[in-house]
Every structure is written in structure tokens, then in C-alpha cells.
Amino acid sequence: MRLSELPTMPKMDVELRRLMERDLRDAVAKMAFQIRYQPQINIRTRRVTGFEALLRWQHPVWGAVSPDEFIPVAEETGLIGAIGQWVLEQVCVEATTWPADVNVAVNVSPVQFDNGGLPEIVSAALRKAGLNPFRLELEVTESVPLQDNPVTLGTLQAVRDLGVLLALDDFGLGFCSLGYLLRFAFDKIKIDRSFVAEFGKAEVPSAIVRAIIALCGNLGIICTAEGVETEEQLRLLLNENCATAQGWLFGQAVTAEEISALLARTNPGDGPDPGVKRPPP
Ligand code: C2E
Ligand code: MG
Ligand code: MG
Ligand code: MG
């Protein structure tokens, strides 16, 4: 349920927005956020290839506030800069404790790309933690459209030059999905879970899923299906040669402390995952 639907919440959007901004500022001052990690798996081998870092905010009165609600406020107020930097620094440190073939993906707001400082923030986080850039993936979504200007395109390129992978998140949902591919070379596409949910059930979403997987094949980039919840969806994705998947079928996001036990189950034995090749930088 969204906050605005709670009976105790002010009905006026403006008032809720004002309270959320006030409390978000407070949370940023204390960095009172948590990071959870959701496994991404190689569909063929079912080994975990990496984890996506997902931000959590436990409000003292409202309880868990969804990032879909507070990230837009953070974007509008500019607080996303401090939050995003903190997330990057935390996950780079955390990922150094994982096996070398397990990567970490971080969501980055288009607002962070528009302000030219992102490459320095990313490279400093990698350097401080001692994490190999190839193990970091940045996921960009179009909650706010990525600006088609030299600063944004230059930032994307500078981040990619570090050796970091770039993934286009929630693909198919936004107006600009295909346009982004024309303007910039991404390493990975994540099919939005609204299409995956209907895969094998409804004709149009199924055709879109197949088309996106084929598009990735033609472009030579990795395809990830988001929101995989059933074995049937997984079987159909395997049939289409989709490389990786993420979703409740493999688990919800876990705490950093739970990762080694999870990997002991999913990734027995050593050695890099032979199934999914990382593209060159
Ligand atoms: P996203 O990057 O597309 O992340 C996937 C969302 O789908 C997550 O929601 C995850 O919990 C949910 N999900 C994963 N598997 C399943 C499934 O099988 N079924 C269903 N129904 N849902 C599934 P979450 O954690 O609420 O995050 C929502 C969005 O908030 C993210 O979407 C991302 O755009 C944004 N977000 C999260 N953390 C950050 C962050 O650190 N920075 C920024 N800028 N955005 C973030
Ligand atoms: Mg994401
Ligand atoms: Mg997504
Ligand atoms: Mg999303």
C-alpha cells in the first residue's frame, strides 16, 4: 500500500510531500537507510551472477517506505546525490567480501548522471573499497528522462571507461527505451517485470519479451528478466535464450549478512560462472 492510501495519512498530497521531504532530510543527515541485496542468476546454471542493491528506508512512524515513493522526492530535492554516493560507497565495500565472480548492481538516478561528478564518485568508491570496476554494474532507469545532452552522454561514457557495466533498467516501460539504445551503448538490458509477469499468458507482452531478448542477442548484450516468480516463466525464458533473471522465484532482497549462506547454497564449488560472459569494457 502506498503511504497516501494509509488512513492516518494527510489526504493532501502537498502536505504528505512536505512531511516526506522534511523526514527524508533528517534521514539523509543520519544516513538512516539500509541496503538489501537481491540475487541475479544465470538461467542456464542457476548460479548467482550478482546482487542488485536495493535501498530501504524504515520511517519511525510510517514504517517501511518504498523507494518508488521516496526516490522521486530525493530526486526533486537533490538529496539523491548524497544518498546515491552513500549507496555506492557501501556496496563497493560489501562486494569485496564476496567471491570474485559475483557482481554488484546499483541503481543510479538520471539526476546523478546529469550532474557531471558521477565518474569521480564512482571511481573514488571503487578505489577506496579496492573493488575491481568490472564487478560493478550501474542500472539506469527513466523515472526522469535521461537528458540527451553532452554532459549526460559524456558521464555515461566516462563511467563505462572505468570498466563499469551499464544496464538499462525497466526496459520497455518508458517512452525512451529504444531511443536510448540509439544514443548510447549499454552492456545490459533488464526487461521490466510488467512484461515478464504476462509472459506466456498474454500475446502482446509475450511478443515484447521475445523481441527484447532477440534485440539483446542481435546487439550482443546481456539480457536480464526482472520479476521472475514462476518456474514456467523461467522455462519460457530459457527457451528464448535469455541469459539472466531476477525475481522472487530465486529470492527477495536479503541483508549483507545473509549473502554468504545464500551463496553456499546456490554457488557450490569455486571458479567463475562459465555461462555468462562479461563484455569487454
Ligand atoms: P528496480 O531497480 O526495477 O528494482 C526491482 C524492484 O522490483 C525492487 O523493488 C524489487 O524488490 C522488486 N522485485 C524484484 N523481484 C520481484 C518479483 O519477483 N516480483 C515483484 N512483484 N517485485 C519484484 P524495490 O526494492 O521496491 O525498488 C523499487 C525501485 O526503486 C527500484 O526498481 C529502483 O528503480 C528504485 N531504487 C531502489 N534502490 C535504489 C537506489 O539505491 N537508488 C536509486 N536511484 N533508486 C533505487
Ligand atoms: Mg534496478
Ligand atoms: Mg527494474
Ligand atoms: Mg523500477
Side-chain angles (χ1 to χ4, degrees):
M1 181 154 53
R2 298 186 70 84
L3 278 179
S4 49
E5 290 160 10
L6 287 174
T8 53
M9 287 314 284
K11 283 290 159 263
M12 256 172 38
D13 277 358
V14 226
E15 180 59 6
L16 176 56
R17 170 71 178 65
R18 194 187 61 77
L19 290 175
M20 169 120 32
E21 179 175 338
R22 183 198 64 189
D23 293 354
L24 197 58
R25 282 190 195 283
D26 200 48
V28 170
K30 302 182 205 139
M31 273 309 163
F33 300 97
Q34 296 83 44
I35 301 172
R36 296 290 179 266
Y37 297 89
Q38 189 181 31
Q40 302 181 324
I41 65 115
N42 175 323
I43 294 181
R44 214 162 283 287
T45 65
R46 294 218 183 189
R47 283 175 73 94
V48 169
T49 59
F51 291 89
E52 177 177 7
L54 294 166
L55 196 58
R56 297 288 175 259
W57 180 28
Q58 194 68 30
H59 187 280
V61 178
W62 302 336
V65 184
S66 161
D68 282 327
E69 293 195 85
F70 72 81
I71 294 287
V73 178
E75 288 175 333
E76 284 163 35
T77 51
L79 290 168
I80 192 68
I83 299 174
Q85 179 169 350
W86 178 81
V87 172
L88 273 165
E89 288 169 356
Q90 300 293 309
V91 305
C92 285
V93 171
E94 201 52 56
T96 56
T97 67
W98 307 343
D101 60 329
V102 177
N103 306 320
V104 69
V106 181
N107 292 286
V108 178
S109 160
V111 174
Q112 294 170 267
F113 278 95
D114 296 340
N115 126 19
L118 189 66
E120 288 69 34
I121 291 170
V122 172
S123 73
L126 288 164
R127 204 176 44 244
K128 264 203 284 186
L131 184 72
N132 184 333
F134 295 99
R135 294 182 56 198
L136 178 65
E137 218 170 275
L138 300 187
E139 298 190 359
V140 199
T141 187
E142 54 176 328
S143 55
V144 182
L146 264 182
Q147 297 301 308
D148 185 11
N149 65 36
V151 176
T152 300
L153 294 177
T155 304
L156 282 169
Q157 191 55 51
V159 166
R160 207 159 172 252
D161 287 344
L162 296 171
V164 170
L165 259 84
L166 285 183
L168 199 43
D169 206 353
D170 307 330
F171 190 83
L173 202 63
F175 293 113
C176 312
S177 294
L178 288 170
Y180 287 153
L181 293 181
L182 274 180
R183 279 179 257 135
F184 197 81
F186 284 89
D187 304 288
K188 186 188 240 188
I189 283 176
K190 298 186 74 179
I191 310 174
D192 190 76
R193 70 178 143 87
S194 57
F195 300 106
V196 176
E198 295 297 315
F199 191 29
K201 289 196 223 157
E203 190 184 341
V204 174
S206 301
I208 293 174
V209 170
R210 280 192 290 270
I212 298 174
I213 298 169
L215 177 67
C216 290
N218 290 332
L219 293 173
I221 64 184
I222 301 170
C223 191
T224 300
E226 295 192 285
V228 175
E229 294 182 357
T230 68
E231 286 289 344
E232 176 63 3
Q233 288 164 347
L234 191 69
R235 191 186 63 76
L236 293 169
L237 290 163
L238 177 64
N239 227 13
E240 299 295 327
N241 279 319
C242 181
T244 52
Q246 182 178 345
W248 294 347
L249 180 62
F250 318 104
Q252 302 208 14
V254 298
T255 65
E257 291 70 35
E258 292 170 293
I259 286 182
S260 62
L262 188 154
L263 287 175
R265 287 195 308 273
T266 60
N267 294 19
D270 314 311
D273 185 341
V276 178
K277 283 205 204 89
R278 308 269 288 169

